[in-house]
Amino acid sequence: MEVTTRQQTIRPGYKQTEMGIVPEEWEVKTLKSLHFDISDGNYSSKYPKASDFRPIGVPFIRANNVRGMDVVDDDMRFISSDQHRELQKGHLKRNDILITTRGDIGQNRTCSR
C-alpha cells in the first residue's frame, strides 16, 4: 500500500518508520513476529449461563469489569472451579494483556496475578 505523507521535521532521537515517527531505540515489528498467543475467550456452548454464576468462586471477568487500566469488582461474576477447568480458552496468566472486544471496546489491563 502506498502512503504519501507531508514533509515532517524529525527531531534528534527520533526516526521515520512505516508506522510513523518513533524514538530511535524503538523497533517496529509485526504482532506475528512477537509470537503472541491471541485468543478471544469462550463463546461456545460452554459460556456460562446466568444459572452457572455463583456468589463466590473463580472470577469470570467480562468486558464491563475492565475499566481505566484496571479490573473492577462491580458486577463481577463467579463460576465454580469445575466449570473453570472445563473452559478451553480465556485462562489468564501473569503478564497477560486484557483488551475488551465487546461493550466499551479497547479498554485494557495487564494481568498482574
Side-chain angles (χ1 to χ4, degrees), residues 1-64:
M1 178 169 108
E2 185 173 323
V3 177
T4 304
T5 61
R6 294 179 270 142
Q7 288 290 347
Q8 294 181 354
T9 303
I10 301 174
R11 298 184 321 211
Y14 290 82
K15 63 184 177 183
Q16 179 69 50
T17 71
E18 61 269 25
M19 297 301 295
I21 298 172
V22 299
E24 284 182 348
E25 64 273 10
W26 286 17
E27 292 181 54
V28 175
K29 296 184 176 187
T30 63
L31 286 175
K32 184 176 183 178
S33 73
L34 298 175
H35 306 288
F36 284 135
D37 177 16
I38 299 173
S39 65
D40 192 20
N42 290 275
Y43 295 100
S44 67
S45 60
K46 292 187 178 190
Y47 190 88
K49 299 175 216 41
S51 60
D52 293 327
F53 293 120
R54 305 175 177 282
I56 59 172
V58 178
F60 188 81
I61 299 171
R62 299 168 298 140
N64 65 311

Side-chain angles (χ1 to χ4, degrees), residues 4 8 18-19 33 63 66 70 85 90 94 97 103 106 109 112:
T4 304
Q8 294 181 354
E18 61 269 25
M19 297 301 295
S33 73
V66 182
D70 206 1
R85 279 190 292 277
R94 183 181 300 272
I97 299 171
R109 170 76 173 135
S112 60

Side-chain angles (χ1 to χ4, degrees), residues 36 90-98 109-113:
F36 284 135
H91 291 226
L92 295 175
K93 300 176 289 300
R94 183 181 300 272
N95 296 322
D96 277 358
I97 299 171
L98 305 174
R109 170 76 173 135
T110 302
C111 184
S112 60
R113 49 191 156 126

Side-chain angles (χ1 to χ4, degrees), residues 66-113:
V66 182
R67 273 188 261 142
M69 296 292 291
D70 206 1
V71 173
V72 296
D73 291 339
D74 297 353
D75 198 29
M76 179 67 74
R77 304 289 169 88
F78 300 91
I79 58 174
S80 70
S81 295
D82 289 341
Q83 186 167 22
H84 177 69
R85 279 190 292 277
E86 286 180 26
L87 296 175
Q88 309 252 324
K89 300 192 290 183
H91 291 226
L92 295 175
K93 300 176 289 300
R94 183 181 300 272
N95 296 322
D96 277 358
I97 299 171
L98 305 174
I99 301 174
T100 58
T101 58
R102 285 165 180 74
D104 192 359
I105 296 172
Q107 295 291 314
N108 59 75
R109 170 76 173 135
T110 302
C111 184
S112 60
R113 49 191 156 126

